[in-house]
Amino acid sequence: MAEEIIIVEGNGVLAGEVAVSGAKNSALKLIAAALLGQGETLVRNVPLISDISIMSEVLRRLGATVERDGHTLVVDTTDVEQFETPYDLVSKMRASISVLGPLVGRFGRARVAMPGGCQIGARKIDMHLVGLEALGVEFTIDHGFLEARTPNGLVGADVVLDFPSVGATENLLMAAVTAKGTTVLENAAREPEIVDLANMLVSMGAKVAGAGSSIIEVEGVPLSSLHPCDHTTVGDRIEAGTFLVGGALTGGPVTVRGIDPSYLRVALMKLAAMGCEVQTGADWVTVSRTRPLIPIDIQTLPHPGFPTDLQAQFMLLAARAEGVSVITENVFENRFMFASELIRMGADITIEDHHALVRGVAGLQGADVSSTDLRAGAALVLAGVSAEGQTRVHNIGHIDRGYEDYVGKLCDLGACVRRAPVDGMPDICG
């Protein structure tokens, strides 16, 4: 397939309603968890994105059958006998390391290629390994692969995470469900995606309590007690937040449906503090704005703090505010790479260590820019919607990793945006 870019004609228009897809960061782990079900599991509300395709192929290489019917994945792990994941797939996506926990839980061993993915930070897997070692897993590294074995079986333990890592919490949770005895995870991640995974594991026969809090307790059950299930993925809070930022940027109103507003509590508070009107319902949020954007101070933190995955989008908002904003990135050390692309469009941003000083400007100008990661790419498209002239966003494979039909949804909201081959396309919307 020819390389594509996203071309945006700045028209400053985003208004209407958009349905949020299933959460990428949840669905990926739910697919991995299906390995514990030893049968045909249905995972519903799964987004049509490239990361899901990669994770599906990881399971196929392990011997599973994975079929898609619209937004439902049918994952049959009955015939899975392999416990080695290939480098060519795992190196494309860090989330592939999530099969480590369920493979150890099912087979007592695993051979998993060291992960790759977005270049927004080291995101080392040390906490995964230390936690699993506490459960009785022994690790060796062999030519770029992690070799995991449990010579004495998985045994419950008290594990305190150095940092509330989402990935480490998920891997430990999926391994602990078959460990003998009780496992207590302290300083566990509290993200809604953790709760979603725990709910699926419980529906498979696992015994998990406390998900969504900093202490999760897992009472191990025999592998034979686990069974397939039918589970629906929660809505994607980051996709929802991205479109709501679009509403704040252009004035809206923009309504997102299919999301629990509580998942975005801090982000919605910040939107209100920036001068936006925020309305919420049981499964929807509307954002609009009729006055100038107010500068803001933001610090990214693990949930329930401000999500790092919305930092780039809010930096864009801060770039248009009337005054100086300060954004502090506490989660990923390289996530300010986005700033240099926004500066190309006329933003005034100074980076010092993990702080960004953002001085609001009257307007942005269209330019050729490149996605540096998934969320930065989405934010650059939004920047193009509000900018003067044409913006051409390159390296859009990052966007495809996490946003289903991003261009189509923006068009439905009134934006003048389209995908096109790198060369040979006209410069106006059709």
Side-chain angles (χ1 to χ4, degrees), residues 347-423:
D348 185 349
I349 304 171
T350 302
I351 305 295
E352 292 186 9
D353 193 26
H354 64 297
H355 304 284
L357 190 68
V358 186
R359 301 174 181 86
V361 297
L364 299 173
Q365 298 82 46
D368 275 81
V369 291
S370 181
S371 302
T372 53
D373 64 70
L374 167 56
R375 308 306 173 183
L380 286 170
V381 177
L382 291 182
V385 172
S386 68
E388 177 186 355
Q390 185 184 91
T391 297
R392 294 157 56 94
V393 182
H394 298 255
N395 203 19
I396 65 173
H398 282 302
I399 299 173
D400 293 336
R401 287 186 48 232
Y403 290 87
E404 177 181 335
D405 192 22
Y406 189 47
V407 166
K409 291 182 179 181
L410 287 172
C411 286
D412 289 343
L413 293 174
C416 186
V417 56
R418 70 193 184 283
R419 298 174 70 106
V422 174
D423 299 311

Side-chain angles (χ1 to χ4, degrees), residues 253-254 268 271-272 274-279 285-291:
V254 168
L268 297 182
L271 286 173
M274 296 187 80
C276 300
E277 181 179 345
V278 179
Q279 298 174 301
V285 182
T286 299
V287 167
S288 59
R289 179 178 59 85
T290 57
R291 51 180 171 157

